Amino acid sequence: MEIVIKSLAGINEAAQQFISAMGQHSVFAFYGKMGAGKTTFIKAVCEQLGVEDVITSPTFAIVNEYEVSALDDGQLPASRNIYHFDFYRIKKIEEVYDMGYEDYFYSGALCFIEWPELIEELLPDDAVRVTIEEKSDGLRSISFSC
């Protein structure tokens, strides 16, 4: 599936399209260059899911936890938690082992992962790979397959 975002004004609609396509998957690995819009899109998805917390990049914390205030009609995983990861600053894979990544990735909660290429071998086999690209005309393309 491909979702095209023509401007920042259309990001919430794009987030809704993404949510509709998520199915029962819980781990989403977001690939894209620096500045492609990974954090901005994840923030929009979280907001559309009902997260009321301030949503920021977990660059220094590695993981942020958000609580979903209202889930939809059972289309999404049952957990009320969302874990948002940013592995950009990971120096060694041991850091990810030490943080107990398995407790997050296999919890059934939604996991949105930025910079997954740095921990590729730890991703669950059923993780959905999401690619965000900035096109030359400023459009953003979000492609994935669930």
Side-chain angles (χ1 to χ4, degrees):
M1 174 175 212
E2 181 179 22
I3 299 170
V4 176
I5 302 174
K6 296 179 181 178
S7 70
L8 197 54
I11 198 165
N12 290 332
E13 181 182 328
Q16 279 297 333
Q17 290 176 10
F18 183 81
I19 292 165
S20 294
M22 287 170 57
Q24 291 298 311
H25 296 278
S26 60
V27 179
F28 295 85
F30 287 82
Y31 296 83
K33 294 181 180 178
M34 181 78 70
K38 296 180 296 293
T39 301
T40 302
F41 186 68
I42 290 170
K43 178 180 180 192
V45 170
C46 288
E47 288 172 347
Q48 293 303 305
L49 288 170
V51 172
E52 295 176 359
D53 298 326
V54 175
I55 302 162
T56 60
S57 175
T59 301
F60 294 100
I62 300 178
V63 62
N64 287 343
E65 179 179 356
Y66 310 118
E67 186 174 330
V68 176
S69 61
L71 292 173
D72 68 357
D73 59 2
Q75 190 176 32
L76 298 171
S79 174
R80 299 186 67 80
N81 294 327
I82 295 175
Y83 298 110
H84 179 191
F85 298 86
D86 185 335
F87 290 115
Y88 182 74
R89 297 199 183 279
I90 292 295
K91 302 275 189 260
K92 296 184 288 187
I93 201 77
E94 288 77 17
E95 294 176 62
V96 184
Y97 283 108
D98 291 345
M99 71 176 286
Y101 79 94
E102 305 99 327
D103 294 338
Y104 297 104
F105 291 3
Y106 298 99
S107 68
L110 287 173
C111 294
F112 297 135
I113 304 165
E114 296 186 50
W115 300 102
E117 48 272 77
L118 299 175
I119 59 139
E120 194 76 36
E121 68 257 32
L122 302 180
L123 291 175
D125 291 339
D126 62 347
V128 177
R129 276 122 174 109
V130 181
T131 302
I132 300 180
E133 291 181 283
E134 181 179 11
K135 303 294 186 177
S136 59
D137 54 6
L139 299 177
R140 297 295 198 279
S141 169
I142 300 167
S143 51
F144 60 98
S145 178
C146 288

